[in-house]
Amino acid sequence: MSNTGPIAIAAEKEGTGTSSSSIYDAIRHDILSGALEANARLKVSELARTHNTSTNPVREALQQLRGKGWC
């Protein structure tokens, strides 16, 4: 896993926070790019730290991903 996700970097440059939809996109990108290994355990705190956000947007994003069959 990378230290900082692409969405967090973009948000940092723009001076904005990260929303659950951008975290959703970032985690989905990590899954598709192979940054997150198949069948790997996804830890909320680790993902939050990686994408430079709090745990709530990560939880919301994971619920969305789960609902769409991504995890």
Side-chain angles (χ1 to χ4, degrees):
M1 242 188 302
S2 65
N3 288 336
T4 306
I7 302 300
I9 291 170
E12 190 175 292
K13 287 180 183 176
E14 295 172 10
T16 61
T18 52
S19 68
S20 61
S21 64
S22 61
I23 297 301
Y24 167 89
D25 291 336
I27 294 172
R28 184 174 176 271
H29 175 268
D30 288 348
I31 292 169
L32 292 172
S33 70
L36 293 173
E37 296 179 20
N39 300 315
R41 182 174 178 211
L42 302 178
K43 297 179 183 177
V44 173
S45 60
E46 201 171 289
L47 289 168
R49 189 171 35 259
T50 298
H51 294 289
N52 197 28
T53 189
S54 66
T55 56
N56 286 336
V58 172
R59 284 190 187 105
E60 291 173 18
L62 290 176
Q63 283 180 330
Q64 288 179 312
L65 288 163
R66 227 176 269 122
K68 295 185 180 190
W70 283 92
C71 59

